[in-house]
């Protein structure tokens, strides 16, 4: 009986700390994103994320919030809207707001985006967020406010106005 007590005691010393220890993966923020990189990201989100949201009859515009970086990944929150010019007004007809992981290659000339992934919809959303994003990006995702979303919409409206004027 004493042997079992000692064995249980030893196992609890070994297993409890190991079982309670959780590894939280955070982005390293090791990539320094330049203004030129931001333009590349925006162009990519505008034109290469049609699997997330695509145009029906207008032109797609995006704006984003940088959530973090790793050596080969950039984590962003993307707002992507389809815009149609109606006289002097611009109408946003459909769009999406979603976190996105951009898989990148870096070089002397900046970043090159190879591909992207976004979380699955519905019941799979939470699980796929945890799989795709580090904890510090998840924390930022869950704190994106209506005010920040309004700022992203304003960025898109300004981009559309610039496009119309040029």
């Amino acid at each position: 009986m004493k042997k079992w007590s000692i064995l249980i005691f030893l196992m609890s010393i070994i297993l409890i700390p190991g079982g309670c220890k959780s590894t939280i993966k955070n982005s390293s923020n090791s990539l320094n994103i330049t203004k030129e990189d931001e333009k590349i990201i925006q162009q990519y989100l505008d034109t290469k994320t049609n699997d997330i949201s695509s145009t029906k009859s207008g032109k797609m515009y995006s704006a984003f919030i940088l959530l973090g970086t790793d050596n080969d990944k950039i984590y962003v929150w993307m707002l992507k809207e389809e815009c149609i010019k109606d006289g002097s007004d611009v109408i946003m007809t459909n769009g999406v707001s979603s976190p996105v992981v951009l898989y990148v290659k870096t070089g002397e000339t900046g970043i090159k985006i190879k591909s992207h992934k976004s979380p699955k919809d519905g019941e799979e959303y939470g699980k796929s967020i945890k799989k795709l994003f580090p904890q510090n990006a998840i924390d930022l995702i869950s704190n994106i406010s209506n005010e920040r979303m309004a700022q992203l919409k304003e960025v898109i409206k300004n981009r559309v106005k610039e496009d119309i004027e040029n």
Side-chain angles (χ1 to χ4, degrees), residues 66-140:
L66 183 65
L67 302 173
T69 66
D70 281 323
N71 288 334
D72 59 348
K73 295 179 191 101
I74 300 172
Y75 308 101
V76 299
W77 183 273
M78 171 186 75
L79 176 65
K80 186 172 181 177
E81 297 274 355
E82 178 181 28
C83 300
I84 299 172
K85 185 179 177 197
D86 183 27
S88 62
D89 290 332
V90 173
I91 301 168
M92 293 183 175
T93 59
N94 76 53
V96 69
S97 177
S98 176
V100 179
V101 179
L102 302 172
Y103 297 92
V104 299
K105 184 177 183 180
T106 57
E108 289 179 17
T109 58
I111 63 167
K112 179 178 174 151
I113 302 172
K114 301 184 294 182
S115 64
H116 67 275
K117 277 191 182 172
S118 61
K120 295 178 181 177
D121 289 333
E123 292 178 8
E124 298 290 317
Y125 184 81
K127 200 182 287 185
S128 64
I129 283 278
K130 288 179 182 176
K131 186 177 178 183
L132 291 171
F133 294 89
Q135 187 60 49
N136 55 345
I138 292 170
D139 293 343
L140 291 171

Side-chain angles (χ1 to χ4, degrees), residues 29-41:
N29 291 320
S30 54
L31 274 180
N32 186 22
I33 303 300
T34 66
K35 290 287 182 195
E36 195 58 40
D37 293 335
E38 287 178 2
K39 290 177 188 175
I40 292 167
I41 293 168

Side-chain angles (χ1 to χ4, degrees), residues 18-34:
C20 294
K21 183 181 173 187
S22 63
T23 304
I24 296 176
K25 180 185 160 224
N26 282 319
S27 65
S28 63
N29 291 320
S30 54
L31 274 180
N32 186 22
I33 303 300
T34 66

